[in-house]
Amino acid sequence: MAVFYRQGFARTTLADIAAETGVPLGNFYYYFRTKEALGLAVIEHYRTWLRSRFQSWEESNSDPLRRLDLFIEMTIEDADRLAASGCPIGSLVQELAKEDGTLGAAASDLFSVILTFLEGQFSALGRADHAADLALSLLAIVQGASLITNAFHQPTIQSRVGQQAKRWIRTQVDSATL
Amino acid sequence: MAVFYRQGFARTTLADIAAETGVPLGNFYYYFRTKEALGLAVIEHYRTWLRSRFQSWEESNSDPLRRLDLFIEMTIEDADRLAASGCPIGSLVQELAKEDGTLGAAASDLFSVILTFLEGQFSALGRADHAADLALSLLAIVQGASLITNAFHQPTIQSRVGQQAKRWIRTQVDSATL
DNA sequence: GTCTATAGCTCGATAGAC
DNA sequence: GTCTATCGAGCTATAGAC
């Protein structure tokens, strides 16, 4: 996962992973039939990681607005990694979306998991009418921020855009409360 | 440019370009010393294209708010291409940002060109205080939208997020006018 | 300047000893 | 199950005829 994240999927060779893990090259093909299968396993890991993250937020926090803040703050706390290699999920989606097939669909499905969570929070905040649009916009701004953060290798960008996103959410929620 | 855009830089071979253009493989190395030099030429083309686009908007339209709308509408009109292959500039930046060196820096510089234009419009709208942050946020939301649009291959996503972005701009500008 | 052929290398995947 | 050696395909880049 670490090597795929740092270098991207296509640019990472099995020899790279073998060197970093100490696992001999041939062993991978005992557990994974192809490099694509290895990629699918990584995507599956991200999926379960996302689900457990969201579940823990929903259990430990009853305020939907606070949960949306946690989502944004997570990316701000990760800003150093984002500046170095971008969002691990976003760059996976971007790289694999262009090639059709199983891998691209599996990666894109990670966005569905995120969108479902965000939509739930906006609905709970009284914006069930446009929850889907608001979720799309929030995911877009966070993903775009991490792309720019990575492009300029400047962690502060993620934080600056993140603060704007928090303010934007409040304008959307306040207009519903009125 | 078309093949790089559809397939990405790394995944595109010179044989692909030769097949699509009818230019024999060896000829490329008469005009470009390496594949990287060919990539730099493509980036340079995008840069001049961006500059002429922005200049034409500034000449034909005196309202900065209208110019920001034009920027968003451009991505909406391009939604079909975005759904198929993502933003040509954004995917270039994403792919090349991870590898250091000339190519990544040149690609990221395209974002600087866009940000400078957006910043100018926000400043003209009376938000000189936070023009840089607003420009970052607008670029982020448009780039993120195109990533999601591409991930799900659904052109409508770009339009839905674009409308949200237009509304967001107005809330930022109105608060300055008050 | 244009084109063909191919060198030199790297990668994913496999064979087969242990 | 673990590991080494290597095959075959495909890539960038070059050599050299025209």
Side-chain angles (χ1 to χ4, degrees), chain A residues 4-8 10-11 85-86 90-91 93-99 108 111-112 115 132-134 136-137 139-141 143-145 147-148 150-153 157 160-161 164 168 172, chain B residues 4-8 10-11 85-86 90-91 93-99 108 111-112 115 130 132-134 136-137 139-141 143-145 147-148 150-153 157 160-161 164 168 172:
Chain A
F4 278 152
Y5 172 46
R6 284 202 314 268
Q7 307 184 351
R11 235 174 265 275
S85 307
S91 40
V93 170
Q94 167 110 8
E95 182 175 3
L96 302 177
K98 286 197 179 181
E99 58 174 333
S108 299
F111 273 180
S112 298
L115 287 171
D133 281 358
L134 297 172
L136 280 172
S137 298
L139 178 58
I141 201 167
Q143 284 294 325
L147 173 57
I148 306 173
N150 185 26
F152 294 122
H153 303 297
I157 293 178
R160 290 163 65 190
V161 178
Q164 294 279 352
W168 169 77
Q172 297 302 316
Chain B
F4 279 152
Y5 172 47
R6 284 203 314 268
Q7 306 183 353
R11 237 174 263 274
S85 307
S91 41
V93 170
Q94 168 112 12
E95 182 175 2
L96 302 177
K98 287 197 178 182
E99 58 174 331
S108 298
F111 273 180
S112 298
L115 287 171
H130 292 105
D133 280 358
L134 296 173
L136 280 172
S137 298
L139 178 58
I141 201 167
Q143 284 295 325
L147 173 56
I148 306 174
N150 184 26
F152 294 122
H153 303 297
I157 293 178
R160 290 164 64 190
V161 178
Q164 294 279 352
W168 170 77
Q172 296 301 316

Coordinates of all heavy atoms in Angstrom, one line a residue, chain A residues 4-8 10-11 85-86 90-91 93-99 108 111-112 115 132-134 136-137 139-141 143-145 147-148 150-153 157 160-161 164 168 172, chain B residues 4-8 10-11 85-86 90-91 93-99 108 111-112 115 130 132-134 136-137 139-141 143-145 147-148 150-153 157 160-161 164 168 172:
Chain A
F4 N 2.5 1.7 -3.5 CA 1.5 2.1 -4.5 C 1.1 3.6 -4.2 O 0.9 4.4 -5.2 CB 0.2 1.3 -4.3 CG 0.3 0.0 -5.1 CD1 -0.4 -1.1 -4.6 CD2 1.1 -0.2 -6.2 CE1 -0.3 -2.4 -5.3 CE2 1.2 -1.4 -6.9 CZ 0.5 -2.5 -6.4
Y5 N 1.0 4.0 -2.9 CA 0.6 5.3 -2.6 C 1.7 6.3 -3.0 O 1.4 7.4 -3.7 CB 0.3 5.4 -1.1 CG 0.1 6.8 -0.6 CD1 -0.7 7.7 -1.3 CD2 0.7 7.3 0.5 CE1 -1.0 9.0 -0.8 CE2 0.5 8.6 1.0 CZ -0.3 9.4 0.3 OH -0.5 10.7 0.8
R6 N 2.9 6.1 -2.7 CA 4.0 7.0 -3.0 C 4.2 7.2 -4.5 O 4.4 8.2 -5.1 CB 5.3 6.6 -2.4 CG 5.4 6.8 -0.9 CD 6.8 6.9 -0.4 NE 7.6 5.8 -1.0 CZ 7.8 4.6 -0.4 NH1 7.3 4.4 0.7 NH2 8.5 3.7 -1.0
Q7 N 4.2 6.0 -5.2 CA 4.6 6.0 -6.6 C 3.5 5.9 -7.6 O 3.7 6.1 -8.8 CB 5.6 4.9 -6.9 CG 6.8 4.8 -5.9 CD 7.8 3.7 -6.2 OE1 7.5 2.9 -7.1 NE2 8.9 3.8 -5.6
G8 N 2.3 5.6 -7.2 CA 1.2 5.3 -8.1 C 1.2 3.8 -8.5 O 2.2 3.1 -8.3
A10 N 0.7 2.2 -11.6 CA 1.4 1.8 -12.8 C 2.9 1.9 -12.7 O 3.7 1.1 -13.1 CB 0.9 2.7 -14.0
R11 N 3.4 3.0 -12.0 CA 4.8 3.2 -11.8 C 5.5 2.3 -10.8 O 6.7 2.2 -10.7 CB 5.1 4.6 -11.4 CG 6.0 5.4 -12.3 CD 6.1 6.8 -11.9 NE 5.1 7.7 -12.7 CZ 5.4 8.2 -13.9 NH1 6.6 7.9 -14.5 NH2 4.5 8.9 -14.5
S85 N 2.4 13.1 -1.6 CA 1.9 12.1 -2.5 C 0.4 12.2 -2.9 O -0.1 11.3 -3.5 CB 2.2 10.7 -2.0 OG 3.5 10.5 -1.6
G86 N -0.2 13.2 -2.4 CA -1.7 13.4 -2.8 C -2.5 12.5 -1.9 O -2.1 11.8 -1.0
G90 N -7.9 9.4 -3.8 CA -8.1 10.2 -4.9 C -7.2 9.9 -6.1 O -7.6 9.8 -7.2
S91 N -5.9 9.7 -5.7 CA -4.9 9.4 -6.8 C -5.1 8.0 -7.4 O -4.9 7.8 -8.6 CB -3.5 9.6 -6.3 OG -3.3 9.1 -5.0
V93 N -8.1 6.6 -7.7 CA -9.3 6.8 -8.6 C -8.9 7.4 -9.9 O -9.2 7.0 -10.9 CB -10.4 7.6 -7.9 CG1 -11.5 7.9 -8.8 CG2 -11.0 6.8 -6.7
Q94 N -8.1 8.5 -9.7 CA -7.7 9.2 -10.9 C -6.9 8.4 -11.9 O -7.2 8.3 -13.1 CB -6.8 10.4 -10.5 CG -6.1 11.1 -11.7 CD -6.7 12.5 -12.0 OE1 -7.5 13.0 -11.3 NE2 -6.2 13.0 -13.1
E95 N -6.0 7.6 -11.3 CA -5.1 6.8 -12.2 C -5.9 5.7 -12.9 O -5.6 5.3 -14.0 CB -4.0 6.3 -11.4 CG -3.0 5.5 -12.2 CD -1.8 5.0 -11.4 OE1 -1.7 5.3 -10.2 OE2 -0.9 4.4 -12.0
L96 N -6.8 5.1 -12.1 CA -7.5 3.9 -12.6 C -8.8 4.1 -13.3 O -9.3 3.3 -14.0 CB -7.7 2.9 -11.4 CG -6.4 2.5 -10.7 CD1 -6.8 1.6 -9.5 CD2 -5.5 1.8 -11.6
A97 N -9.3 5.4 -13.2 CA -10.6 5.7 -13.8 C -10.5 5.6 -15.4 O -11.4 5.3 -16.1 CB -11.1 7.0 -13.4
K98 N -9.3 6.0 -15.9 CA -9.1 6.1 -17.3 C -9.1 4.7 -18.0 O -9.6 4.5 -19.1 CB -7.8 6.8 -17.7 CG -8.0 8.3 -17.4 CD -6.9 9.1 -18.2 CE -7.1 10.6 -17.9 NZ -6.1 11.4 -18.6
E99 N -8.6 3.7 -17.3 CA -8.6 2.4 -17.9 C -9.9 1.7 -17.4 O -10.2 1.7 -16.2 CB -7.4 1.5 -17.4 CG -7.3 1.4 -15.9 CD -6.1 0.4 -15.6 OE1 -5.8 -0.4 -16.4 OE2 -5.5 0.6 -14.5
S108 N -13.4 3.6 -8.1 CA -14.4 4.6 -8.1 C -15.4 4.3 -7.0 O -16.0 5.2 -6.5 CB -15.1 4.6 -9.5 OG -14.2 5.0 -10.5
F111 N -15.3 6.2 -3.8 CA -16.0 7.5 -3.8 C -17.4 7.3 -3.4 O -18.0 8.1 -2.6 CB -15.9 8.2 -5.1 CG -14.6 9.0 -5.3 CD1 -14.4 9.7 -6.5 CD2 -13.7 9.1 -4.3 CE1 -13.3 10.5 -6.6 CE2 -12.5 9.9 -4.5 CZ -12.4 10.6 -5.6
S112 N -18.0 6.2 -3.8 CA -19.4 5.9 -3.4 C -19.6 5.8 -1.9 O -20.5 6.3 -1.3 CB -20.0 4.7 -4.1 OG -20.0 4.9 -5.5
L115 N -19.3 9.2 -0.5 CA -20.5 10.1 -0.8 C -21.7 9.6 0.0 O -22.5 10.5 0.5 CB -20.8 10.0 -2.3 CG -19.9 10.7 -3.2 CD1 -20.1 10.4 -4.7 CD2 -20.0 12.2 -2.9
A132 N -27.5 14.9 -2.0 CA -26.5 14.3 -3.0 C -25.6 15.4 -3.6 O -24.4 15.2 -3.7 CB -27.3 13.6 -4.1
D133 N -26.2 16.6 -3.9 CA -25.4 17.6 -4.5 C -24.4 18.2 -3.5 O -23.2 18.4 -3.9 CB -26.3 18.8 -5.0 CG -26.9 18.4 -6.4 OD1 -26.6 17.4 -6.9 OD2 -27.7 19.2 -6.9
L134 N -24.8 18.3 -2.3 CA -23.9 18.9 -1.3 C -22.8 17.9 -1.0 O -21.6 18.3 -0.8 CB -24.7 19.2 0.0 CG -25.8 20.3 -0.1 CD1 -26.6 20.4 1.1 CD2 -25.1 21.6 -0.5
L136 N -21.5 15.7 -3.1 CA -20.6 15.8 -4.3 C -19.7 17.0 -4.1 O -18.5 16.9 -4.4 CB -21.5 15.9 -5.5 CG -22.0 14.6 -6.1 CD1 -23.0 14.9 -7.3 CD2 -20.9 13.7 -6.6
S137 N -20.3 18.1 -3.8 CA -19.5 19.4 -3.7 C -18.4 19.3 -2.6 O -17.3 19.7 -2.8 CB -20.4 20.6 -3.5 OG -21.3 20.7 -4.6
L139 N -17.0 16.5 -1.3 CA -16.0 15.6 -1.7 C -15.1 16.3 -2.8 O -13.9 16.1 -2.8 CB -16.6 14.3 -2.3 CG -15.6 13.3 -2.8 CD1 -14.6 12.9 -1.7 CD2 -16.3 12.1 -3.4
A140 N -15.7 17.0 -3.7 CA -15.0 17.7 -4.8 C -14.0 18.7 -4.2 O -12.8 18.7 -4.6 CB -15.9 18.4 -5.7
I141 N -14.4 19.5 -3.2 CA -13.5 20.5 -2.7 C -12.3 19.9 -2.0 O -11.2 20.3 -2.1 CB -14.3 21.6 -1.9 CG1 -13.5 22.9 -1.8 CG2 -14.6 21.1 -0.5 CD1 -14.2 24.0 -1.3
Q143 N -11.1 16.8 -2.4 CA -10.2 16.1 -3.4 C -9.4 17.1 -4.2 O -8.2 16.9 -4.4 CB -11.1 15.3 -4.3 CG -11.6 14.0 -3.7 CD -10.4 13.0 -3.3 OE1 -9.4 13.0 -4.1 NE2 -10.5 12.3 -2.2
G144 N -10.1 18.2 -4.6 CA -9.4 19.2 -5.4 C -8.3 19.9 -4.6 O -7.2 20.1 -5.1
A145 N -8.6 20.1 -3.3 CA -7.6 20.7 -2.4 C -6.4 19.8 -2.3 O -5.2 20.3 -2.4 CB -8.2 21.0 -1.0
L147 N -5.3 17.7 -4.5 CA -4.6 17.7 -5.7 C -3.7 19.0 -5.8 O -2.5 18.9 -6.2 CB -5.6 17.7 -6.9 CG -5.0 17.9 -8.3 CD1 -3.9 16.9 -8.6 CD2 -6.1 17.9 -9.4
I148 N -4.2 20.1 -5.4 CA -3.4 21.3 -5.5 C -2.3 21.3 -4.4 O -1.2 21.7 -4.7 CB -4.3 22.6 -5.3 CG1 -5.5 22.6 -6.3 CG2 -3.5 23.9 -5.4 CD1 -6.5 23.7 -6.0
N150 N -0.8 18.7 -3.4 CA 0.2 17.8 -3.9 C 1.0 18.5 -5.0 O 2.2 18.4 -5.1 CB -0.4 16.5 -4.4 CG 0.6 15.5 -4.9 OD1 1.8 15.5 -4.4 ND2 0.2 14.6 -5.7
A151 N 0.3 19.2 -5.9 CA 1.0 19.9 -7.0 C 2.0 20.8 -6.5 O 3.1 20.9 -7.1 CB -0.1 20.6 -7.9
F152 N 1.7 21.6 -5.5 CA 2.7 22.6 -5.0 C 3.5 22.1 -3.8 O 4.4 22.9 -3.3 CB 2.0 23.9 -4.7 CG 1.3 24.6 -5.8 CD1 0.0 24.9 -5.9 CD2 2.1 25.0 -6.9 CE1 -0.6 25.5 -7.0 CE2 1.5 25.6 -8.0 CZ 0.2 25.8 -8.1
H153 N 3.2 20.9 -3.4 CA 3.9 20.4 -2.2 C 3.9 21.3 -1.0 O 4.9 21.5 -0.3 CB 5.4 20.1 -2.6 CG 5.5 19.1 -3.7 ND1 5.1 17.8 -3.7 CD2 6.1 19.3 -4.9 CE1 5.3 17.2 -4.8 NE2 5.9 18.1 -5.6
I157 N -2.0 24.5 2.1 CA -3.1 24.7 1.1 C -4.3 23.9 1.6 O -5.5 24.3 1.6 CB -2.7 24.3 -0.3 CG1 -1.6 25.3 -0.8 CG2 -3.9 24.3 -1.2 CD1 -1.1 25.0 -2.2
R160 N -6.0 25.7 4.3 CA -6.7 26.9 3.9 C -8.0 26.6 3.2 O -9.1 27.2 3.5 CB -5.8 27.8 3.0 CG -4.6 28.4 3.7 CD -3.5 28.8 2.8 NE -3.9 29.9 1.9 CZ -3.2 30.3 0.9 NH1 -2.1 29.7 0.6 NH2 -3.6 31.3 0.2
V161 N -8.0 25.7 2.3 CA -9.2 25.3 1.6 C -10.2 24.6 2.5 O -11.4 24.8 2.4 CB -8.9 24.4 0.4 CG1 -10.2 24.0 -0.3 CG2 -8.0 25.2 -0.6
Q164 N -12.3 27.1 4.4 CA -13.3 27.6 3.5 C -14.5 26.6 3.4 O -15.6 27.0 3.3 CB -12.7 27.8 2.1 CG -11.7 29.0 2.0 CD -12.3 30.3 2.0 OE1 -13.6 30.5 1.8 NE2 -11.5 31.4 2.1
W168 N -18.4 27.1 4.2 CA -19.4 26.8 3.2 C -20.5 25.9 3.7 O -21.7 26.1 3.5 CB -18.8 26.2 1.9 CG -19.8 25.7 1.0 CD1 -20.5 26.4 0.1 CD2 -20.1 24.3 0.8 NE1 -21.3 25.6 -0.6 CE2 -21.1 24.3 -0.2 CE3 -19.8 23.1 1.3 CZ2 -21.7 23.1 -0.7 CZ3 -20.3 21.9 0.9 CH2 -21.3 21.9 -0.1
Q172 N -24.7 26.5 4.1 CA -25.7 25.6 3.6 C -26.7 25.1 4.6 O -27.9 25.0 4.4 CB -25.0 24.3 2.9 CG -24.2 24.7 1.7 CD -25.0 25.4 0.6 OE1 -26.1 25.0 0.3 NE2 -24.4 26.5 0.1
Chain B
F4 N -2.2 11.6 -25.1 CA -1.8 11.8 -23.7 C -3.0 12.0 -22.9 O -3.1 11.5 -21.7 CB -0.8 13.0 -23.6 CG 0.6 12.7 -24.0 CD1 1.5 13.7 -24.5 CD2 1.2 11.4 -23.8 CE1 2.8 13.4 -24.8 CE2 2.5 11.1 -24.1 CZ 3.3 12.1 -24.6
Y5 N -3.9 12.8 -23.4 CA -5.1 13.1 -22.6 C -6.0 11.9 -22.3 O -6.4 11.6 -21.2 CB -5.9 14.2 -23.3 CG -7.3 14.5 -22.7 CD1 -7.4 14.7 -21.4 CD2 -8.4 14.5 -23.5 CE1 -8.7 14.9 -20.8 CE2 -9.6 14.8 -23.0 CZ -9.8 15.0 -21.6 OH -11.0 15.3 -21.1
R6 N -6.2 11.1 -23.4 CA -7.1 9.9 -23.2 C -6.4 8.9 -22.3 O -7.1 8.3 -21.5 CB -7.4 9.3 -24.5 CG -8.4 10.1 -25.4 CD -9.0 9.1 -26.4 NE -8.0 8.3 -27.0 CZ -7.5 8.6 -28.2 NH1 -7.8 9.7 -28.8 NH2 -6.6 7.8 -28.7
Q7 N -5.1 8.6 -22.5 CA -4.5 7.5 -21.8 C -3.6 7.9 -20.6 O -3.2 7.0 -19.9 CB -3.7 6.7 -22.8 CG -4.4 6.3 -24.1 CD -3.6 5.5 -25.0 OE1 -2.4 5.3 -24.9 NE2 -4.3 4.9 -26.1
G8 N -3.3 9.1 -20.5 CA -2.3 9.6 -19.5 C -0.9 9.5 -20.1 O -0.7 8.9 -21.2
A10 N 2.2 8.3 -18.8 CA 3.0 7.1 -18.7 C 2.5 6.0 -19.5 O 3.2 5.2 -20.1 CB 3.0 6.7 -17.2
R11 N 1.1 5.9 -19.6 CA 0.5 4.8 -20.3 C 0.6 4.9 -21.8 O 0.3 4.0 -22.6 CB -0.9 4.6 -19.9 CG -1.2 3.2 -19.3 CD -2.7 3.2 -18.8 NE -2.7 3.4 -17.3 CZ -2.5 2.5 -16.4 NH1 -2.3 1.2 -16.8 NH2 -2.5 2.7 -15.1
S85 N -12.4 11.2 -19.8 CA -10.9 11.2 -19.5 C -10.5 12.2 -18.5 O -9.3 12.4 -18.3 CB -10.2 11.5 -20.8 OG -10.6 10.6 -21.9
G86 N -11.4 12.9 -17.8 CA -11.0 13.8 -16.7 C -10.5 15.1 -17.3 O -10.5 15.3 -18.5
G90 N -5.7 18.9 -15.1 CA -5.7 18.2 -13.7 C -5.1 16.9 -13.7 O -4.3 16.5 -12.8
S91 N -5.4 16.0 -14.7 CA -4.8 14.7 -14.7 C -3.3 14.7 -15.0 O -2.6 13.9 -14.5 CB -5.6 13.8 -15.7 OG -5.9 14.4 -16.9
V93 N -1.3 17.2 -14.1 CA -0.7 17.6 -12.8 C -0.6 16.4 -11.8 O 0.4 16.1 -11.2 CB -1.5 18.8 -12.2 CG1 -1.0 19.0 -10.8 CG2 -1.3 20.0 -13.0
Q94 N -1.8 15.7 -11.7 CA -1.8 14.6 -10.7 C -0.8 13.6 -11.1 O -0.1 13.1 -10.2 CB -3.2 14.0 -10.8 CG -3.3 12.7 -10.1 CD -4.1 12.8 -8.8 OE1 -4.8 13.7 -8.6 NE2 -4.1 11.7 -8.0
E95 N -0.7 13.2 -12.4 CA 0.2 12.1 -12.7 C 1.7 12.5 -12.6 O 2.5 11.7 -12.2 CB -0.1 11.7 -14.2 CG 0.8 10.6 -14.6 CD 0.4 10.1 -16.0 OE1 -0.5 10.7 -16.7 OE2 1.1 9.1 -16.5
L96 N 2.0 13.8 -12.9 CA 3.4 14.2 -12.9 C 3.8 14.8 -11.6 O 5.0 15.0 -11.4 CB 3.6 15.2 -14.1 CG 3.2 14.6 -15.4 CD1 3.4 15.7 -16.5 CD2 4.0 13.4 -15.8
A97 N 2.9 15.1 -10.7 CA 3.3 15.8 -9.4 C 4.1 14.8 -8.6 O 5.0 15.2 -7.8 CB 2.1 16.3 -8.7
K98 N 3.8 13.5 -8.7 CA 4.5 12.6 -7.8 C 6.0 12.4 -8.2 O 6.8 12.1 -7.3 CB 3.8 11.2 -7.8 CG 2.4 11.3 -7.1 CD 1.9 9.9 -6.8 CE 0.6 10.0 -6.0 NZ 0.1 8.7 -5.6
E99 N 6.2 12.4 -9.5 CA 7.6 12.3 -9.8 C 8.2 13.7 -9.8 O 7.7 14.7 -10.4 CB 7.8 11.7 -11.2 CG 7.1 12.4 -12.3 CD 7.4 11.8 -13.7 OE1 8.5 11.3 -13.9 OE2 6.5 11.9 -14.6
S108 N 2.6 21.6 -12.7 CA 2.1 22.3 -11.6 C 1.9 23.8 -11.9 O 1.0 24.4 -11.4 CB 2.9 22.1 -10.3 OG 2.9 20.7 -10.0
F111 N -1.3 25.2 -12.9 CA -2.3 25.6 -11.8 C -2.0 27.1 -11.4 O -2.9 27.8 -11.1 CB -2.1 24.7 -10.6 CG -3.0 23.5 -10.7 CD1 -3.0 22.5 -9.7 CD2 -3.9 23.3 -11.8 CE1 -3.8 21.4 -9.7 CE2 -4.7 22.2 -11.9 CZ -4.6 21.2 -10.8
S112 N -0.7 27.5 -11.4 CA -0.4 28.9 -11.1 C -1.0 29.8 -12.0 O -1.5 30.9 -11.6 CB 1.1 29.1 -11.1 OG 1.7 28.2 -10.1
L115 N -4.7 30.0 -11.1 CA -4.9 30.7 -9.8 C -4.7 32.2 -10.0 O -5.4 33.0 -9.3 CB -3.9 30.1 -8.8 CG -4.3 28.7 -8.3 CD1 -3.2 28.1 -7.4 CD2 -5.6 28.7 -7.5
H130 N -8.9 38.1 0.8 CA -8.8 36.6 0.8 C -8.8 36.1 -0.6 O -9.2 34.9 -0.9 CB -9.9 36.0 1.6 CG -9.8 36.2 3.1 ND1 -10.6 37.1 3.7 CD2 -8.9 35.7 4.0 CE1 -10.2 37.1 5.0 NE2 -9.2 36.3 5.2
A132 N -6.6 35.0 -2.6 CA -5.8 33.8 -2.8 C -6.5 32.5 -2.3 O -6.6 31.5 -3.0 CB -4.4 33.9 -2.1
D133 N -7.1 32.6 -1.1 CA -7.9 31.5 -0.6 C -9.1 31.2 -1.5 O -9.4 30.0 -1.7 CB -8.3 31.8 0.8 CG -7.2 31.6 1.8 OD1 -6.1 31.2 1.4 OD2 -7.4 31.9 3.0
L134 N -9.8 32.2 -1.9 CA -11.0 32.0 -2.7 C -10.6 31.3 -4.0 O -11.3 30.4 -4.5 CB -11.7 33.3 -2.9 CG -12.3 33.9 -1.6 CD1 -12.8 35.3 -1.9 CD2 -13.3 33.0 -1.0
L136 N -8.0 29.4 -4.6 CA -7.7 28.0 -4.3 C -8.9 27.2 -4.2 O -9.0 26.1 -4.7 CB -6.8 27.9 -3.0 CG -5.3 28.3 -3.1 CD1 -4.7 28.3 -1.7 CD2 -4.6 27.2 -4.0
S137 N -9.9 27.7 -3.5 CA -11.1 26.9 -3.2 C -11.9 26.7 -4.5 O -12.4 25.6 -4.8 CB -12.0 27.6 -2.2 OG -11.3 27.7 -1.0
L139 N -10.7 26.7 -7.7 CA -10.0 25.7 -8.5 C -10.1 24.3 -7.9 O -10.3 23.3 -8.7 CB -8.5 26.1 -8.5 CG -7.6 25.1 -9.3 CD1 -8.1 25.0 -10.8 CD2 -6.1 25.5 -9.3
A140 N -10.1 24.2 -6.6 CA -10.3 22.9 -5.9 C -11.6 22.3 -6.3 O -11.7 21.1 -6.7 CB -10.1 23.0 -4.4
I141 N -12.7 23.0 -6.2 CA -14.0 22.5 -6.4 C -14.2 22.0 -7.8 O -14.8 21.0 -8.1 CB -15.1 23.4 -5.9 CG1 -16.4 22.6 -5.7 CG2 -15.4 24.5 -6.9 CD1 -17.4 23.4 -4.9
Q143 N -11.7 21.2 -10.0 CA -10.9 20.0 -10.2 C -11.4 18.8 -9.6 O -11.4 17.7 -10.2 CB -9.5 20.3 -9.7 CG -8.6 21.2 -10.6 CD -8.3 20.6 -11.9 OE1 -8.1 19.4 -12.0 NE2 -8.3 21.4 -13.0
G144 N -11.9 18.9 -8.3 CA -12.5 17.8 -7.7 C -13.7 17.3 -8.4 O -13.9 16.1 -8.5
A145 N -14.5 18.2 -8.9 CA -15.7 17.8 -9.6 C -15.3 17.0 -10.9 O -16.0 16.0 -11.2 CB -16.5 19.1 -10.0
L147 N -12.7 15.2 -11.3 CA -12.3 13.9 -10.8 C -13.4 13.0 -10.6 O -13.4 11.8 -11.0 CB -11.4 14.0 -9.6 CG -10.9 12.7 -8.9 CD1 -10.2 11.8 -9.9 CD2 -10.1 13.0 -7.7
I148 N -14.4 13.5 -9.9 CA -15.6 12.6 -9.6 C -16.4 12.3 -10.9 O -16.9 11.2 -11.1 CB -16.5 13.3 -8.5 CG1 -15.7 13.6 -7.3 CG2 -17.7 12.4 -8.2 CD1 -16.5 14.5 -6.3
N150 N -15.2 12.0 -13.8 CA -14.5 11.0 -14.5 C -14.6 9.7 -13.8 O -14.7 8.6 -14.5 CB -13.0 11.4 -14.6 CG -12.2 10.5 -15.4 OD1 -12.7 9.8 -16.3 ND2 -10.9 10.4 -15.2
A151 N -14.6 9.7 -12.5 CA -14.6 8.4 -11.8 C -15.9 7.6 -12.1 O -15.9 6.4 -12.3 CB -14.5 8.6 -10.3
F152 N -17.0 8.4 -12.2 CA -18.3 7.7 -12.4 C -18.8 7.8 -13.9 O -19.9 7.3 -14.2 CB -19.4 8.4 -11.5 CG -19.2 8.1 -10.0 CD1 -19.0 9.1 -9.1 CD2 -19.1 6.8 -9.6 CE1 -18.8 8.9 -7.8 CE2 -18.9 6.5 -8.2 CZ -18.7 7.6 -7.3
H153 N -18.0 8.5 -14.7 CA -18.3 8.6 -16.1 C -19.7 9.2 -16.3 O -20.5 8.8 -17.1 CB -18.2 7.3 -16.8 CG -16.9 6.7 -16.7 ND1 -15.7 7.2 -17.2 CD2 -16.5 5.5 -16.2 CE1 -14.7 6.4 -17.0 NE2 -15.1 5.4 -16.3
I157 N -22.5 15.3 -13.3 CA -21.9 15.7 -12.0 C -21.2 17.0 -12.1 O -21.3 17.8 -11.2 CB -20.9 14.5 -11.5 CG1 -21.7 13.3 -11.2 CG2 -20.1 15.0 -10.3 CD1 -20.9 12.1 -10.8
R160 N -23.8 19.7 -11.9 CA -24.4 19.9 -10.5 C -23.4 20.6 -9.6 O -23.8 21.5 -8.9 CB -24.7 18.5 -10.0 CG -25.9 17.9 -10.7 CD -26.1 16.4 -10.5 NE -26.4 16.1 -9.1 CZ -26.3 14.9 -8.6 NH1 -26.0 13.8 -9.3 NH2 -26.6 14.7 -7.3
V161 N -22.2 20.2 -9.6 CA -21.2 20.8 -8.7 C -20.9 22.2 -9.2 O -20.7 23.1 -8.3 CB -19.9 20.0 -8.6 CG1 -18.9 20.6 -7.7 CG2 -20.2 18.6 -8.0
Q164 N -23.4 24.6 -7.8 CA -23.1 24.9 -6.4 C -21.9 25.9 -6.3 O -22.0 26.8 -5.4 CB -22.7 23.6 -5.7 CG -23.8 22.6 -5.5 CD -24.7 22.9 -4.4 OE1 -24.5 23.8 -3.6 NE2 -25.8 22.1 -4.3
W168 N -21.8 29.5 -4.4 CA -20.8 29.8 -3.4 C -20.1 31.1 -3.7 O -19.9 31.9 -2.8 CB -19.8 28.6 -3.3 CG -18.7 28.9 -2.5 CD1 -18.6 28.9 -1.1 CD2 -17.4 29.3 -2.9 NE1 -17.4 29.3 -0.7 CE2 -16.6 29.5 -1.8 CE3 -16.8 29.5 -4.2 CZ2 -15.2 29.9 -1.8 CZ3 -15.4 29.9 -4.2 CH2 -14.7 30.1 -3.1
Q172 N -19.8 34.6 -1.3 CA -18.5 35.3 -1.0 C -18.5 36.7 -1.4 O -18.0 37.6 -0.7 CB -17.4 34.5 -1.6 CG -17.2 33.1 -1.1 CD -17.0 33.0 0.4 OE1 -16.2 33.8 0.9 NE2 -17.7 32.1 1.0

